[in-house]
Amino acid sequence: MPEKLGMIIDMARCTGCQTCVLACRMEHALEGVSGIRVDTVGGAGRDTAGGCFPHVNMQFLPVPCMHCQRAPCIEACPDAAIYRRDDGIVVIDEMWCNGCGLCLESCPYGVLIELPDRPRVWKCDLCAGRIDQGLEPFCVTCCGTRAMRLVDLNDPGIKEDVTKAGRAPRALKADLETEPRVYYRPVRG
Amino acid sequence: MQRSDKPIRTICNLGCGMGCGILAHVKDGMIAKIEPAEFPDPRYRHLCARALATVKLTYHPDRLRHPLKRVGERGDGKWQRISWDEALDIIGDRLTDIAARHGPRSLYWQTGGAGLLDLVYARLAGCLGASAVSLIGFGDAAGPCGDRVSFGTLWGESYQTAFEEPRLCVVWGNNPAETQPFGMRKLLDARDNGAKIVVLDPRYTPTAALADEYIPIRPGTDTALALGLMHVILAEGLYDAPFICRHTVGPLLVSSATNRFLREPDISPGADGTRYVVWDSTAGQPCLHDAPGATPSLTGFFEAGGGECRTAFQLLADMIAEYTPERVSGITGIPAEIVRNLALDYTRLKPAISFRGMGLQRTFHGDITFRAISTLAAITSNMVPEYPRTFVPNMRAFMRAGGRCTFVPVLEMYDAMAGKSSYPVKSLFIAKHNLLNQIPDASRIRTELFPNVEFIVVADLFMNASARYADIVLPACSFYEQNNLLMPPGGSPGVHNYLQLQQRVIDPLPECRTEIEIARGVAERMGYGEYFKETDDEFVEVLLTSDHPSMAGVTLARLKDGPVPLPPFDVPGFMTPSGRMEFYSEKLVDQGEALPVYIEPLESTAGRETADGKYPLVFLNAHTRYRTHSVFANVDTLRVLDPEPVIEMNPVDAGARDIIDGDMVRAFNDRGRAQMRARVHAGIMPGVVNVNQGWWPEDFVEGSHQDLTHSVINPAQQAVYEPNAALYDVAVEVEKVREG
């Protein structure tokens, strides 16, 4: 059975440090944009809390590409430039992308970005090049609290492993039925 | 990614001190990419967002590339480009002239850098018989003062955090989620093993957000909380009497008349020993503390040595008796029930470890806070009674080869610049240190004090706040362009204990010079070239030539292969005069601080709702993940995430001042003002405001946060080690800036 690569992100370990954002920029030589972003869940701006002091809340949510099983971007692309590899990674083929931008609106997670210096669209490719060398995505490698894990979702041990302690992983916007392959363990069970 | 050259292992060396390893990939002489380097222990393979931004920092278009000589007035920003020979000739001439007229100690070297080779400037100052400024005091000296009293070492964190599997982690005034990735890792791993994480902070930081329990506490009142916790522990009889008796000054008798420990001659007239005295409860009389078979009393008052005396533990108990949970609640703002529950947690969830952060250090009596928390750990036996092990390189041979320099605490520089010391500052050489950005009361330094300094040199990477006020500016090298030797980051929980080489990855950018090259150039002009002939490797070998057991087998060859772990060796327990943990210190009797007493903050109102008067808000200037001190303020890749200075305010304080999120506001006090936007949100205690430090003056609309801070010296800290800048013990008011 081919690997079904995905990620499990533990929100009880994510401190919102933005290292993954800088790591992605380093790995893919990006200026000002990144294949992953880290959102603040709490107050209105980055690093702000919601609620009323001292009953406040703040969490951090790293958002890479979800590498959806039913990826809307693949359907939206008129030139079939976006495709899924056997291991599940969704990639944009730069040879075929002409930067039309029709995919941008199709993604409910907002992970498709226009490159500032080139007429094409780019997104997180789970560092497919590193994966092919047996390495992890660079964001996973650099994460200081080891909040992110690259996983094989076909491995039965994975589900067991992550549902212990009552913090079963959940997908974002699961109701949209894009079947994302990035899961989040909540801060509390 | 194509890599043409063999990757080079170096370290990220910017002053956070964590010593993370970098594997740098070079292509065509330029750094193409960096990644975290391996350590034998995989937990330490890490680079944070800042480390990843160091490549952009190194190739920043604003890097200084030529020596510059001032034309016009200081601060005008007008420069003439000169050659290195001209620059070094001018420096040599001016320093020689100033030394001849004012004496060599009027030459001051204020140089930073976390690597041991950065002390090459101290070596030069030594040759000259000059003054070198100790920079610990600009915010990091209160903890060392406290730990020197408690333990006899400056870096005593491991006494409270060395436990491998804690069940309770209490984080006081510390935000490792933003500032100490290894510490955060230790907390999260402990939590996975079942530990409870409690965070005490006036701000709801990212660390607080991941805690099991967040306890807001008024800034500067943590000592009172520690005393309150001890009150509950004593009242419930939950202290560890045998541990206190064996490892602390608890049982030692203190004379009520002199407030000093009894010594052997006090109970055996004619004897001349210095040993301490305890009360043997079985025999009903005093005896020496190490008398075989004695059963020392831990509490009580007795007649001995010709007068009344009490045990040190009795004195502590007497002081703590006043700090009921209700009284502590009034001081700290923490409900009495929470004080009580935390105290019980300390004794129930053992081992309990305490992370003590810079937030504690930067209140005026931060040294006492460190002592109070250590006392809490000692009386509950949440303490590993083992002197911290670290490498002890041969600093003497490196720094004193040509003579000794005199170290001057940074806070004493203000009087020295004003001419109020025996050795006024007549020249100031600044390197790897953004003085005007990072030390308090900056506008006073610029306007009143610098005019008294005849000659100022700054060696740095950028035209920053300090370089702007120099007479000569020298283009320095980044850590990628030079070699160094880095000690492990002692003093913080969860950090590694490896000695590492920082290895040059790329050649210095043309016309930039390393610290060693700069020091050598000045030395040669002043007749001390013979002490600077060594290569970088030879200097490292000087440092490694040490008989200390920590350096056994540590060679340059091994270091070139990778990080070298600390070898095992025996260590004492404590290095205090008594050899015990000293919660009672004779050194501070005259200051009234023999015990870890609670004293109100100097200036700040500690966030009390009833605070009135001109400046009712506590002004914090905490450290954030987007900068390391003042580094990265000008680096786009991080700047885009944190675009401008903002002052964090609670909606209650903002509403009372007609301020909404995003409004332009002015923070001010009698010393100065700073203008920036308000960030109004729920994550900060009412009565407290915060600007994340490290911004450059030009980033503010007007003024800067360091115009608000002060340089008041704490005499007790001065007596123990070095006075600390109480950067967060500052009172301000904030007002909306009206249009028109």
Side-chain angles (χ1 to χ4, degrees):
Chain A
M1 190 190 283
E3 279 180 74
K4 189 174 158 197
L5 290 178
M7 284 176 71
I8 298 181
I9 299 179
D10 189 345
M11 290 174 70
R13 291 185 82 96
C14 178
T15 62
C17 72
Q18 310 282 339
T19 293
C20 51
V21 172
L22 275 277
C24 183
R25 287 199 194 132
M26 164 82 53
E27 179 66 24
H28 300 284
L30 299 166
E31 294 288 338
V33 294
S34 176
I36 188 169
R37 68 176 189 271
V38 181
D39 291 342
T40 302
V41 180
R46 195 190 307 281
D47 302 336
T48 59
C52 183
F53 194 88
H55 309 292
V56 285
N57 55 81
M58 180 168 68
Q59 295 176 19
F60 299 100
L61 188 68
V63 182
C65 170
M66 301 288 141
H67 298 282
C68 303
Q69 275 285 83
R70 298 178 55 217
C73 57
I74 292 180
E75 289 173 35
C77 177
D79 293 335
I82 311 182
Y83 68 96
R84 181 181 297 107
R85 297 177 8 150
D86 283 344
D87 56 9
I89 301 178
V90 177
V91 280
I92 303 177
D93 186 338
E94 59 179 82
M95 294 271 297
W96 288 98
C97 172
N98 62 22
C100 72
L102 285 170
C103 55
L104 294 171
E105 292 298 315
S106 72
C107 176
Y109 308 100
V111 302
L112 291 156
I113 53 185
E114 290 175 286
L115 291 177
D117 55 342
R118 277 163 276 175
R120 60 181 186 84
V121 172
W122 189 81
K123 70 170 189 67
C124 154
D125 64 355
L126 213 58
C127 284
R130 285 175 63 88
I131 301 257
D132 291 341
Q133 292 173 54
L135 301 170
E136 294 176 317
F138 200 49
C139 55
V140 172
T141 298
C142 291
C143 174
T145 53
R146 309 293 188 249
M148 300 201 287
R149 286 171 61 191
L150 177 76
V151 293
D152 171 2
L153 292 169
N154 284 336
D155 177 351
I158 290 290
K159 283 251 162 68
E160 232 179 83
D161 188 35
V162 298
T163 53
K164 69 183 176 192
R167 296 196 293 123
R170 308 197 273 255
L172 286 183
K173 303 193 184 186
D175 54 308
L176 295 179
E177 297 183 343
T178 58
E179 293 177 32
R181 281 203 291 270
V182 174
Y183 290 88
Y184 295 84
R185 296 185 70 189
V187 173
R188 285 183 178 79
Chain B
M1 173 166 282
Q2 302 213 0
R3 291 167 200 139
S4 62
D5 306 327
K6 181 174 184 284
I8 300 173
R9 193 193 194 283
T10 186
I11 46 166
C12 181
N13 188 2
L14 284 176
C16 83
M18 290 291 115
C20 297
I22 290 180
L23 193 63
H25 300 273
V26 178
K27 187 162 152 38
D28 301 329
M30 290 192 63
I31 304 169
K33 180 193 164 169
I34 61 171
E35 58 181 305
E38 300 289 343
F39 278 88
D41 183 332
R43 283 180 298 172
Y44 303 116
R45 186 206 65 193
H46 172 63
L47 288 179
C48 73
R50 288 161 294 205
L52 290 167
T54 54
V55 179
K56 293 270 185 215
L57 181 77
T58 301
Y59 293 114
H60 197 293
D62 293 348
R63 279 246 343 236
L64 294 168
R65 299 297 298 273
H66 315 288
L68 300 168
K69 177 176 157 185
R70 170 173 64 85
V71 280
E73 296 305 306
R74 278 187 188 152
D76 276 355
K78 299 196 176 68
W79 304 97
Q80 178 199 349
R81 175 178 164 178
I82 57 176
S83 70
W84 268 101
D85 278 340
E86 283 178 81
L88 292 169
D89 284 345
I90 290 172
I91 294 170
D93 288 344
R94 294 294 303 269
L95 295 187
T96 304
D97 171 61
I98 289 170
R101 285 185 289 112
H102 296 286
R105 281 177 66 173
S106 69
L107 307 178
Y108 277 69
W109 300 81
Q110 189 154 341
T111 62
L116 295 184
L117 292 189
D118 297 323
L119 291 163
V120 71
Y121 291 114
R123 183 182 176 95
L124 176 54
C127 292
L128 298 169
S131 302
V133 182
S134 169
L135 296 181
I136 310 272
F138 73 85
D140 305 349
C145 287
D147 283 353
R148 175 171 266 195
V149 170
S150 302
F151 308 120
T153 176
L154 298 176
W155 315 106
E157 194 70 7
S158 64
Y159 284 104
Q160 273 129 192
T161 55
F163 294 101
E164 284 301 325
E165 295 190 356
R167 296 198 55 225
L168 174 69
C169 300
V170 185
V171 183
W172 309 64
N174 189 206
N175 186 10
E178 291 202 65
T179 58
Q180 288 175 336
F182 293 138
M184 195 63 201
R185 179 76 190 272
K186 176 155 183 163
L187 276 173
L188 294 174
D189 289 351
R191 209 241 304 273
D192 277 355
N193 285 330
K196 176 178 179 185
I197 314 290
V198 176
V199 169
L200 292 151
D201 202 307
R203 296 167 61 226
Y204 184 69
T205 60
T207 309
L210 292 183
D212 295 306
E213 186 178 0
Y214 165 56
I215 301 178
I217 181 169
R218 295 201 183 115
T221 65
D222 300 76
T223 300
L225 175 62
L227 298 179
L229 299 176
M230 287 193 267
H231 177 100
V232 174
I233 288 165
L234 260 57
E236 300 289 326
L238 294 171
Y239 54 95
D240 187 334
F243 188 93
I244 299 170
C245 222
R246 178 159 173 235
H247 291 292
T248 78
V249 293
L252 304 186
L253 294 177
V254 178
S255 156
S256 300
T258 65
N259 292 313
R260 281 161 175 85
F261 292 118
L262 260 53
R263 297 286 206 287
E264 186 167 8
D266 295 317
I267 58 167
S268 308
D272 58 3
T274 53
R275 283 180 291 173
Y276 298 82
V277 177
V278 297
W279 185 268
D280 186 345
S281 57
T282 320
Q285 63 183 28
C287 67
L288 295 179
H289 73 96
D290 53 2
T295 47
S297 295
L298 197 52
T299 53
F301 11 143
F302 312 97
E303 276 294 316
E308 193 210 67
C309 53
R310 298 178 189 220
T311 64
F313 189 68
Q314 183 64 53
L315 289 168
L316 180 69
D318 291 345
M319 194 251 293
I320 280 169
E322 300 171 21
Y323 287 87
T324 61
E326 290 69 30
R327 178 166 177 211
V328 166
S329 179
I331 297 170
T332 62
I334 300 172
E337 202 47 38
I338 293 185
V339 173
R340 207 182 142 69
N341 289 339
L342 183 59
L344 297 177
D345 276 352
Y346 247 104
T347 57
R348 193 173 54 85
L349 300 173
K350 287 181 71 171
I353 66 178
S354 276
F355 290 50
R356 305 165 304 166
M358 301 302 188
L360 300 182
Q361 295 209 38
R362 290 166 187 180
T363 187
F364 195 64
H365 297 285
D367 54 320
I368 305 180
T369 312
F370 265 55
R371 291 174 55 202
I373 297 171
S374 299
T375 305
L376 169 66
I379 69 166
T380 54
S381 58
N382 281 309
M383 180 158 282
V384 177
E386 223 173 60
Y387 196 79
R389 279 187 186 75
T390 191
F391 295 96
V392 182
N394 196 342
M395 304 300 294
R396 181 168 301 205
F398 182 67
M399 292 203 301
R400 293 195 196 167
R404 288 182 71 157
C405 62
T406 306
F407 278 97
V408 177
V410 63
L411 289 188
E412 290 177 17
M413 285 282 288
Y414 294 76
D415 279 351
M417 278 193 274
K420 289 187 207 153
S421 100
S422 315
Y423 302 101
V425 183
K426 287 300 171 190
S427 87
L428 189 54
F429 191 110
I430 302 168
K432 291 184 110 138
H433 171 52
N434 197 351
L435 186 160
L436 280 181
N437 218 81
Q438 299 303 99
I439 78 176
D441 210 0
S443 59
R444 182 172 158 235
I445 299 176
R446 273 195 310 274
T447 57
E448 280 175 44
L449 301 178
F450 266 9
N452 297 329
V453 182
E454 291 182 21
F455 184 59
I456 301 176
V457 179
V458 169
D460 211 303
L461 269 59
F462 296 104
M463 184 55 70
N464 57 25
S466 306
R468 229 159 270 215
Y469 278 82
D471 302 314
I472 298 283
V473 173
L474 301 175
C477 284
S478 72
F479 64 79
Y480 288 110
E481 298 156 64
Q482 54 190 322
N483 298 311
N484 219 322
L485 180 65
L486 192 74
M487 292 276 280
S492 286
V495 298
H496 66 75
N497 225 343
Y498 296 96
L499 190 64
Q500 299 179 87
L501 271 186
Q502 171 188 310
Q503 307 196 88
R504 172 182 293 188
V505 172
I506 52 171
D507 288 338
L509 265 53
E511 286 219 55
C512 297
R513 292 198 183 178
T514 69
E515 317 311 325
I516 289 180
E517 287 169 337
I518 295 172
R520 180 179 293 131
V522 177
E524 282 165 355
R525 267 115 181 130
M526 297 185 77
Y528 295 101
E530 67 187 281
Y531 295 104
F532 293 85
K533 289 189 165 4
E534 288 88 338
T535 61
D536 291 0
D537 275 0
E538 285 166 344
F539 275 133
V540 170
E541 294 197 297
V542 167
L543 286 161
L544 297 181
T545 318
S546 161
D547 290 332
H548 194 274
S550 66
M551 306 301 287
V554 181
T555 62
L556 183 58
R558 266 184 85 196
L559 282 163
K560 289 194 173 184
D561 261 346
V564 172
L566 192 63
F569 56 96
D570 289 332
V571 287
F574 307 100
M575 292 286 279
T576 49
S578 62
R580 296 164 175 254
M581 186 273 169
E582 294 199 359
F583 56 75
Y584 185 95
S585 173
E586 289 183 317
K587 267 188 268 214
L588 293 171
V589 165
D590 294 337
Q591 285 84 353
E593 296 177 21
L595 285 169
V597 292
Y598 175 63
I599 307 175
E600 286 274 296
L602 179 73
E603 182 182 288
S604 102
T605 52
R608 300 220 166 82
E609 290 95 25
T610 51
D612 50 20
K614 282 166 77 177
Y615 306 122
L617 300 171
V618 182
F619 180 68
L620 304 180
N621 36 105
H623 287 234
T624 176
R625 41 167 144 257
Y626 302 110
R627 286 174 293 289
T628 302
H629 307 142
S630 67
V631 182
F632 298 111
N634 63 340
V635 175
D636 285 347
T637 195
L638 283 170
R639 189 75 186 250
V640 67
L641 296 169
D642 192 27
E644 58 177 330
V646 292
I647 183 160
E648 296 183 309
M649 298 180 75
N650 183 280
V652 166
D653 292 328
R657 293 162 173 79
D658 191 32
I659 292 170
I660 62 172
D661 188 44
D663 274 351
M664 191 60 75
V665 302
R666 177 183 301 122
F668 62 96
N669 59 22
D670 287 341
R671 287 180 293 273
R673 51 208 232 164
Q675 186 175 325
M676 70 207 96
R677 291 203 186 279
R679 175 176 286 164
V680 181
H681 74 105
I684 185 165
M685 176 181 281
V688 179
V689 295
N690 177 57
V691 177
N692 284 322
Q693 69 87 56
W695 293 105
W696 295 13
E698 58 261 43
D699 299 321
F700 293 88
V701 174
E702 189 202 353
S704 103
H705 65 285
Q706 288 291 17
D707 292 347
L708 301 167
T709 51
H710 61 75
S711 57
V712 180
I713 288 180
N714 180 322
Q717 292 173 357
Q718 206 171 23
V720 165
Y721 168 56
E722 179 170 334
N724 193 43
L727 292 164
Y728 306 167
D729 195 333
V730 174
V732 299
E733 177 57 284
V734 176
E735 65 187 4
K736 179 165 165 162
V737 172
R738 307 268 164 206
E739 307 299 318

